Amino acid sequence: MTNPYGQQPGPGQQPYGQQPQPGYGPPSGATPAPYGQPSGPNPMPYGQPAPYGQPAPYGQPAPYGAPGGMPGGGGDINSIPDYKGWAIGCIFLCWIIAIFAIMKSNEVNTYKMQGNYAAAADASKSTKTMCMIASIIGGVGCLFSILWIVLVAASI
């Protein structure tokens, strides 16, 4: 049978409509590997961790406990908190400081995406400090408000 498109089959391909010739395919009696299973004897798993003290190959994560990633030893970039929720909540306590805390929180994520982990850690520390100051100011303001309401109610 001829190919209606005028193309010749490539090497190792059967012409359209013909049965495979003996000698091709898996050996007789052998069953092909199930879908998703590698074929062949004991394939090496990819993603092998590098020996301790050696850098991981490009694109491979460093194994647990191995140095790399963040300065000062190993670690995960997600371990640098951005305190965004706290910064947003501080809007109700001291909105002026909370706005700057939100901007610093955004810088944490920007630095983490750029790979500048030292600057991300510094911005995270600044965000935490601003959120702490806004929380203290808001807490003291709430206490004074409650005290003022009690004094006004007692004087009536």
Side-chain angles (χ1 to χ4, degrees), residues 15 20 25 45-46 48 55 58 60 64 95-97 99 114 116 121-122 125 131-133 142 146 149 156:
Y46 48 89
Q48 287 273 337
Y58 181 75
Q60 297 287 331
Y64 292 108
W95 64 270
I96 295 172
I97 297 174
I99 290 172
Q114 292 173 353
N116 191 352
D122 187 44
K125 187 176 179 183
C131 288
M132 187 68 70
I133 291 171
C142 285
I146 291 172
I149 290 172
I156 292 180

Side-chain angles (χ1 to χ4, degrees), residues 49-55 63-67:
Y52 188 75
Q54 299 292 325
Y64 292 108

